[in-house]
Amino acid sequence: MADEELAKDLGPLAALTIGVGTMIGAGIFVLPRQAYEIAGPAIALSFVVGGVISLFTALSASELGTAMPKAGGSYYYVNHALGPLFGSIAGMGNWMGLAFASAFYMIGFGDFVTALVAVPAIDLDVIRISGTQVAAFFAGMLFIAINYVGAKETGRLQNVIVITLVAILTVFSILGFLQADLSTLKPFAPTKAGYGAVLPGTALVFVSFLGFAKITTVAEEIKNPGRNLPLAVVGSVVIVTTMYAILMIVMASVINWTELAAPGADPVVEVAEVAFGNSLGLAGVGAGLIIFGGLLATASSANASILASSRINFAMGRDKLITAWLNDIHDKFATPYRSIAVTGVIILVLILIGDIKILAKAGSVLHLIVYGLLNLALIVMREADVAEYDPAFRVPLYPITPILGALFSFALIAFMDRIEIGLAILFVVVGIGWFFIYARPRTEKQGVLSKYVLSRPDDMPDPAVSAATTVKPDGGDYRVMVPLANPEHETDLISLASAVASQRGGTVVATHIVQVPDQTPLASGAAHVEELDAESAELLERARADAETFGVPVETHTILSHRSFEEIFDAARTHAADLVVMGWGEDSHGSPGRAESAIDELTNGLPCDVVVLRDRGFDPGRVLVPTAGGPDSELSAAIAQMLQAEYDSELSLLHVTDESRDAGEEFLADWATEHGIEDANLVVVDDEDVEAAIERAAGDCSLLVIGATEEGLLSRLVRGSLALDIVDDVDCSVLLAEKQRKRSMRERLIG
């Protein structure tokens, strides 16, 4: 199945409002009563402390986000830098932390709904569902559906909600300030714990600061992330921290904090009644406006959290830390709809069974783990001096900033209650267990930290080398099958296959298919292999010798069949191949421009990825990859990247466009970054004749890597195909790449 991209359709305002919209809700509308109860007016300092802790991590997230604008945000950075063991912890923690937070916001939303209309409770034999939870449940279903239909619709909704919300709170603050009596703030830290209550207060309200990291989870969808991502991330923290501090001071100066902390109190509504009533004589209007604002605030928080949590799930599926089934992109909406649906079910369950304070702190504690790991990830990326790591934004005062970010994040966990600390430990243990039981045998990605340690075993402490070896992903055994037929091309095919296997830590499976006449039973043919094909043993022995020069394991198999070309794909299934590297035989391509024959194309999907070498002398010195972003382009990019790593190839990417050159350059740069080959030469050509442009560019290269055609079989049989025409017309060797994926019969016939 092709790894599909998410559309870039979020502008800077939409990105900023994802962060602000999430953070502005809980602190001012849902938690003030509990917050004042803990720290009194000093809760304003709790918000400032939370903002400072968040700012350190926001700066680190901004640098990582501009260097790696990927779906998954914090999870992706941890997984990429620290490896899939920590990626499993961060992914599970971030995903479930957002689910807890989403449920918390939705219950807050339900509380405001019940202030406006009566919502009946539901009594079941095993559980009583309050009216607040009922309202939250149905509201949750609505926002899950909104996220299901696409990020652009989500971004537009966030813009409207947050702009309206900020306007309401601005009026609320001004009117409240006019009624303020600063004497009510004395003493500033009146609770029994005094200023010692500030950090426990921060632990409670930190759920209010989860929004900035959510921006990075949609970095892959943000326009111009190098500029817009840092502005949105850092800007959202500064804006919200300032608003929280002002609002908490204003509220406690309008009504004494003891009244705001009383059981059953609704601080923001009560303050609004005083502020609007004394200033404008509109107490009822003020209360109604604040209830409306509360609905907007909790709705925007929930909406942004659902958006972000589903994309964590999506990113983990892409890295094989959870099932790839979650990777599917909706044909119409271009969203990871299965991730959204699965996450939505979890959120709805939490709404039905969760306590609001536990949900808030659970969301916070899981995020604090991720934030600590995120800061460590930045240090690893800097210290490992990764060649492709080139952020457009760099944190100031490195390494002090990420070190303090990590220390503060982990330290704040100590001020949580036992149940939240236990939950944090549980999720770390679950993440570790999940990695060793499920992810390690499947994932192939090795973190930068592990690579760095294992590449310098003599310079590193033995425990570090041992630990890196222990957690190194198995990724299964990546198997590259090479069906051999022509001794003249055996060396080139094996060299190509071995280069790929070497880069993936895999095995070369060399096969020779011996065709037995239909009149001869295969069992009888086995006794006469030498007569049927005298070169079989010699061909496979040469293949073994050639592959072993690359230091990769080699298997050899002689396969007897009544078929020849068609047997290749059955053999790939039998030997569990991940990639087939085969030669361009004259009788192999009755389906022009694709790897399989016409019969295979109509009757079966490919069992694995396939590359077909049109061999005119295998020379990977100068590799050209034309791309228009088609579904086979991922495989083209992966093959080119592995050849570059193995042979130090000069790699060029080509995009031919008949539209805006600027748009073409932006597309190609984004595509190169997406596939980890941003150091390649980027070439954009304005030309309506794509074939001619590719052929001209191929004149300067030694190997052309091109994706299979997307045209249907019927049109190809009538008109041929661009890919096949290029293969025939260029002078260099050509690799035709075709990614394994499902295609309907209509797609196979028509395209």
Side-chain angles (χ1 to χ4, degrees):
M1 181 177 65
D3 187 19
E4 296 157 307
E5 301 178 0
L6 300 177
K8 288 183 179 293
D9 54 10
L10 292 178
L13 180 61
L16 180 67
T17 53
I18 287 172
V20 174
T22 305
M23 292 192 285
I24 204 65
I28 195 63
F29 288 103
V30 183
L31 291 176
R33 189 193 68 77
Q34 296 91 335
Y36 282 120
E37 186 179 22
I38 290 176
I43 197 65
L45 290 180
S46 298
F47 279 105
V48 172
V49 171
V52 171
I53 294 174
S54 299
L55 187 59
F56 283 113
T57 302
L59 290 167
S60 295
S62 296
E63 176 172 327
L64 292 167
T66 59
M68 300 175 284
K70 300 283 188 177
S74 303
Y75 152 74
Y76 178 85
Y77 312 142
V78 172
N79 188 60
H80 183 74
L82 304 182
L85 171 60
F86 291 99
S88 296
I89 297 170
M92 292 291 183
N94 212 346
W95 174 26
M96 291 306 300
L98 286 167
F100 276 109
S102 299
F104 162 75
Y105 298 135
M106 286 301 7
I107 290 177
F109 182 88
D111 196 34
F112 282 106
V113 170
T114 56
L116 293 175
V117 296
V119 179
I122 299 176
D123 286 308
L124 303 175
D125 292 337
V126 294
I127 189 173
R128 183 181 188 276
I129 304 172
S130 68
T132 294
Q133 289 173 298
V134 171
F137 185 87
F138 286 102
M141 293 180 64
L142 172 64
F143 283 103
I144 290 164
I146 290 171
N147 279 272
Y148 192 95
V149 302
K152 182 172 290 186
E153 288 74 9
T154 300
R156 288 172 178 168
L157 180 63
Q158 286 294 105
N159 291 348
V160 173
I161 289 175
V162 175
I163 291 172
T164 304
L165 181 60
V166 169
I168 291 173
L169 290 177
T170 300
V171 174
F172 173 77
S173 299
I174 293 172
L175 295 180
F177 180 76
L178 294 176
Q179 304 298 319
D181 178 5
L182 297 182
S183 65
T184 63
L185 300 177
K186 297 177 181 180
F188 193 66
T191 60
K192 186 176 181 179
Y195 284 97
V198 170
L199 289 177
T202 302
L204 172 68
V205 302
F206 196 77
V207 69
S208 307
F209 292 95
L210 307 187
F212 72 89
K214 293 176 180 60
I215 300 170
T216 67
T217 67
V218 293
E220 201 170 346
E221 300 168 52
I222 294 176
K223 300 172 184 176
N224 190 13
R227 173 182 178 274
N228 293 334
L229 184 64
L231 286 176
V233 173
V234 176
S236 64
V237 173
V238 173
I239 291 170
V240 170
T241 302
T242 303
M243 290 185 68
Y244 275 145
I246 292 173
L247 286 165
M248 299 308 289
I249 291 293
V250 167
M251 289 169 62
S253 62
V254 172
I255 297 179
N256 190 282
W257 73 272
T258 56
E259 297 179 41
L260 299 179
D266 194 344
V268 68
V269 174
E270 293 173 12
V271 171
E273 289 177 337
V274 173
F276 280 80
N278 292 349
S279 298
L280 305 175
L282 299 173
V285 172
L289 192 62
I290 287 300
I291 291 174
F292 176 64
L295 289 170
L296 291 180
T298 50
S300 67
S301 296
N303 185 49
S305 297
I306 294 168
L307 182 152
S309 61
S310 64
R311 280 149 178 78
I312 297 294
N313 206 344
F314 168 70
M316 291 181 71
R318 187 164 61 181
D319 291 334
K320 300 182 181 179
L321 296 187
I322 55 179
T323 173
W325 176 81
L326 293 167
N327 268 11
D328 272 6
I329 300 295
H330 197 285
D331 291 338
K332 180 179 179 181
F333 303 128
T335 57
Y337 66 106
R338 286 177 176 167
S339 292
I340 292 170
V342 170
T343 305
V345 169
I346 295 172
I347 292 169
L348 294 176
V349 170
L350 290 174
I351 288 172
L352 295 179
I353 65 175
D355 172 85
I356 193 165
K357 289 183 68 175
I358 293 176
L359 289 174
K361 286 192 172 184
S364 295
V365 75
L366 295 176
H367 276 83
L368 285 167
I369 294 172
V370 178
Y371 290 172
L373 293 176
L374 182 149
N375 284 284
L376 296 179
L378 172 62
I379 296 172
V380 167
M381 295 304 295
R382 285 280 197 103
E383 297 304 313
D385 195 23
V386 180
E388 66 270 18
Y389 185 73
D390 185 24
F393 170 85
R394 289 182 177 267
V395 300
L397 301 177
Y398 176 87
I400 296 173
T401 299
I403 290 174
L404 290 178
L407 290 176
F408 288 159
S409 296
F410 291 135
L412 189 58
I413 295 174
F415 294 91
M416 296 285 179
D417 293 335
R418 289 182 180 179
I419 186 170
E420 288 85 31
I421 294 174
L423 184 67
I425 295 172
L426 174 63
F427 266 88
V428 170
V429 172
V430 168
I432 294 172
W434 182 266
F435 169 74
F436 283 105
I437 295 171
Y438 179 89
R440 187 169 184 254
R442 293 171 174 82
T443 188
E444 299 147 7
K445 186 171 185 177
Q446 188 176 359
V448 170
L449 177 61
S450 180
K451 290 180 181 177
Y452 183 78
V453 171
L454 294 177
S455 67
R456 298 164 175 80
D458 297 333
D459 301 329
M460 294 288 169
D462 290 341
V465 176
S466 176
T469 303
T470 301
V471 301
K472 182 178 179 182
D474 292 340
D477 179 16
Y478 191 83
R479 297 169 65 79
V480 184
M481 193 185 95
V482 190
L484 301 172
N486 189 337
E488 293 181 10
H489 301 296
E490 173 271 328
T491 299
D492 289 344
L493 287 172
I494 288 294
S495 296
L496 173 59
S498 299
V500 173
S502 174
Q503 289 297 310
R504 299 296 293 269
T507 299
V508 170
V509 182
T511 61
H512 181 54
I513 299 170
V514 176
Q515 188 170 10
V516 176
D518 290 341
Q519 296 85 352
T520 305
L522 295 180
S524 299
H528 302 280
V529 172
E530 292 184 3
E531 289 86 348
L532 292 169
D533 193 330
E535 295 180 330
S536 180
E538 181 182 352
L539 185 65
L540 291 175
E541 188 54 40
R542 284 175 53 189
R544 176 184 293 278
D546 288 336
E548 287 176 346
T549 63
F550 286 80
V552 297
V554 187
E555 296 178 11
T556 58
H557 301 275
T558 298
I559 301 172
L560 276 69
S561 175
H562 293 304
R563 304 174 299 166
S564 55
F565 176 79
E566 295 83 357
E567 181 61 32
I568 291 173
F569 301 108
D570 280 348
R573 293 184 181 92
T574 300
H575 295 285
D578 296 287
L579 176 71
V580 168
V581 176
M582 64 185 186
W584 191 282
E586 292 185 4
D587 61 346
S588 303
H589 294 85
S591 179
R594 301 197 71 82
E596 65 267 56
S597 70
I599 296 300
D600 285 297
E601 181 176 6
L602 290 178
T603 57
N604 294 289
L606 288 178
C608 60
D609 299 341
V610 178
V611 293
V612 185
L613 176 63
R614 184 72 162 90
D615 193 5
R616 298 184 176 99
F618 179 63
D619 177 8
R622 300 184 312 281
V623 179
L624 175 67
V625 181
T627 180
D632 293 309
S633 62
E634 179 199 359
L635 181 59
S636 299
I639 295 295
Q641 185 182 44
M642 287 185 278
L643 292 175
Q644 182 186 40
E646 187 71 25
Y647 294 103
D648 195 24
S649 307
E650 178 185 338
L651 178 58
S652 298
L653 307 180
L654 172 67
H655 179 59
V656 183
T657 179
D658 58 357
E659 299 179 354
S660 164
R661 184 178 183 85
D662 290 342
E665 291 174 349
E666 181 182 358
F667 160 79
L668 192 58
D670 290 345
W671 189 87
T673 300
E674 166 69 21
H675 293 90
I677 46 178
E678 52 267 47
D679 57 341
N681 302 317
L682 306 183
V683 181
V684 176
V685 175
D686 297 316
D687 199 328
E688 294 184 358
D689 191 339
V690 177
E691 179 182 338
I694 295 175
E695 290 173 1
R696 285 196 303 272
D700 296 325
C701 73
S702 59
L703 179 65
L704 175 66
V705 184
I706 189 169
T709 181
E710 289 304 303
E711 294 182 26
L713 175 62
L714 295 180
S715 62
R716 299 200 308 273
L717 293 176
V718 174
R719 301 193 304 265
S721 72
L722 173 68
L724 189 64
D725 291 342
I726 291 172
V727 168
D728 289 338
D729 293 344
V730 299
D731 296 327
C732 63
S733 293
V734 180
L735 268 180
L736 178 73
E738 184 171 348
K739 185 79 177 169
Q740 179 199 24
R741 65 185 184 278
K742 294 180 180 179
R743 291 189 299 142
S744 66
M745 182 60 69
R746 179 186 179 280
E747 290 174 319
R748 297 179 189 189
L749 287 172
I750 301 173

